[in-house]
Amino acid sequence: MLEQLEVILREALDALSSVNNPDSLRAWDSKFLGKKGLVTEMVRSVGQMPKEERAAFGKRANEVKVALTDAFAEREALVAARRLAQDLEEGEIDVTLPGRPTEAGGLHPSTQTLRQFYDIWGDMGFQVYRSREVEDDDTNFTLLNFPPHHPARDMQDTFYTTTPNVILRTHTSPGQIHAMRNLGNGGTQPIRVILPGMVYRFEQITARSEVQFHQVEGLAVGRNITMTDLKGTIAAFARRVYGENARVRFRASYFPFTEPSMEVDVECFLCGGKGCRVCKYSGWIEIAGSGMVHPTVLQNGGYDPAEWSGFAFGMGPERMTMNKHGINDIRYFWGNDLRFLEQF
Ligand code: PHE
């Protein structure tokens, strides 16, 4: 029996030296060390041996088992190492291959424009004040000095809700009332805010008009604010957006909530004022409505118009983005067509 054990040991070691892959490793293991393996059976046969031989045989059988288990582990490591070396050699793993490209998202063109505006107005001390998109009729119109049946109300095509007096804001100007009331501390504190956000108009959707778009309202209230402040501030903004040499002009206009009211044009940045399609051959592009806050509106915001004054403006970031990039259809903005969005 002992002799048979030595034969198995030699045979096993011999066989192991030619084992070269995971499959033959597994086969070797089950042939010699597995549940029905040769070594295992030898160990098991101890029971049938004459008593006096058992101790010596058992000891040797165990030694053989340990020796083969160690040899197996060593061979297994060697096979794995050779395989890795071979894989690297044959280039199965090519670490120089470029990775798969991941698609990077981008910011919506309106978001880009809005963020640029936040930066510029922030530098001039205007804090962002977010006002509600669902408004009441009073704040959207009446408190802004639109009388009940004033024709100016018809300028706004309004989305009404099923709740009386609850509407979607048609402009960001009602935010002026909220900002004055919430930040003005009862008409005792100066304020300087921009009010960005979505506005809604019940209109036919065309290349030139959408039912929703952004506005960025600006409002400054203080003790000595004059029209010169308004003009200088807007001109400074235009220089930041359109370049150091940008020129602006102010045209008399009308809004119920400002007096006097002015429309703001910037000299066409595409043709330099010579006249082109974008500026409709006028040399100027409109960028904002503006004016001095109407005394009634100051009062509705909690300020005494005898002591306080202010200016306000409202701009349309989509319109400005369209002009900048020569986009000829406002419907692209909410169409979610990646072919459009990916260009920005
Ligand atoms: N609310 C005006 C509009 O929607 C713009 C505006 C804002 C004009 C502030 C003057 C002052 O057209």
Side-chain angles (χ1 to χ4, degrees):
M1 283 297 262
L2 263 175
E3 216 157 288
Q4 209 181 327
L5 198 56
E6 298 308 324
V7 171
I8 290 172
L9 174 61
R10 244 171 291 126
E11 193 197 325
L13 289 174
D14 215 41
L16 191 60
S17 65
S18 59
V19 160
N20 264 323
N21 58 61
D23 280 347
S24 48
L25 267 172
R26 225 172 297 124
W28 185 94
D29 186 42
S30 81
K31 180 173 178 191
F32 295 102
L33 297 174
K35 261 193 202 143
K36 288 179 183 159
L38 292 173
V39 175
T40 316
E41 275 180 354
M42 286 302 268
V43 171
R44 217 176 276 145
S45 69
V46 165
Q48 285 126 47
M49 290 185 129
K51 268 207 171 104
E52 58 282 10
E53 287 174 30
R54 277 186 202 171
F57 181 83
K59 184 169 173 256
R60 184 58 187 151
N62 245 328
E63 284 168 6
V64 167
K65 194 180 164 187
V66 169
L68 288 180
T69 306
D70 288 352
F72 178 79
E74 207 176 292
R75 190 73 196 176
E76 195 176 33
L78 184 71
V79 168
R82 281 201 189 141
R83 195 176 177 81
L84 177 63
Q86 190 187 0
D87 280 354
L88 290 172
E89 183 85 4
E90 289 174 0
E92 253 183 63
I93 302 169
D94 183 352
V95 294
T96 66
L97 269 179
R100 268 166 228 186
T102 48
E103 301 257 341
L107 292 177
H108 191 281
S110 291
T111 306
Q112 292 182 30
T113 303
L114 284 169
R115 290 190 181 182
Q116 181 197 20
F117 287 12
Y118 301 160
D119 279 350
I120 298 171
W121 289 115
D123 287 348
M124 292 199 266
F126 286 75
Q127 84 183 85
V128 171
Y129 186 87
R130 301 217 174 251
S131 182
R132 58 182 63 179
E133 291 180 20
V134 177
E135 265 297 355
D136 52 76
D137 205 274
D138 257 10
T139 318
N140 195 80
F141 294 120
T142 316
L143 295 173
L144 290 173
N145 201 36
F146 291 77
H149 299 291
H150 193 282
R153 279 187 193 242
D154 297 337
M155 285 163 54
Q156 322 269 357
D157 300 290
T158 309
F159 276 112
Y160 288 87
T161 68
T162 47
T163 309
N165 297 318
V166 175
I167 62 168
L168 298 186
R169 66 178 175 192
T170 59
H171 54 169
T172 43
S173 300
Q176 289 188 31
I177 300 290
H178 295 296
M180 284 189 279
R181 288 183 175 178
N182 292 326
L183 302 177
N185 198 22
T188 62
Q189 296 294 317
I191 59 177
R192 216 188 286 173
V193 290
I194 54 167
L195 307 120
M198 199 64 91
V199 303
Y200 302 87
R201 297 208 186 153
F202 186 48
E203 281 175 325
Q204 187 69 45
I205 298 175
T206 69
R208 301 297 299 166
S209 69
E210 252 289 6
V211 291
Q212 64 174 86
F213 51 93
H214 287 102
Q215 284 191 339
V216 177
E217 188 95 2
L219 173 68
V221 178
R223 286 182 189 276
N224 295 299
I225 291 186
T226 66
M227 198 145 93
T228 307
D229 297 315
L230 167 60
K231 293 172 82 171
T233 306
I234 298 236
F237 172 80
R239 284 195 296 271
R240 285 281 301 271
V241 176
Y242 299 106
E244 256 327 291
N245 299 319
R247 294 202 304 156
V248 289
R249 74 175 183 188
F250 294 80
R251 277 181 291 115
S253 185
Y254 173 75
F255 301 100
F257 37 90
T258 46
E259 180 61 35
S261 303
M262 296 165 296
E263 233 120 26
V264 186
D265 297 336
V266 63
E267 194 167 37
C268 183
F269 40 86
L270 290 170
C271 62
K274 286 189 202 74
C276 67
R277 257 189 31 214
V278 170
C279 63
K280 299 197 196 80
Y281 303 97
S282 71
W284 296 90
I285 292 177
E286 185 187 320
I287 59 165
S290 70
M292 300 307 291
V293 182
H294 195 288
T296 302
V297 175
L298 281 172
Q299 208 151 34
N300 291 337
Y303 288 92
D304 176 0
E307 263 190 63
W308 297 83
S309 57
F311 67 72
F313 56 83
M315 17 189 101
E318 277 81 40
R319 218 28 26 108
M320 290 164 81
T321 307
M322 287 171 77
N323 289 334
K324 181 174 168 195
H325 296 292
I327 301 164
N328 56 17
D329 194 325
I330 195 171
R331 290 170 292 194
Y332 285 127
F333 282 86
W334 320 129
N336 280 338
D337 186 333
L338 287 178
R339 290 169 301 177
F340 170 73
L341 296 173
E342 276 170 358
Q343 294 179 51
F344 300 93

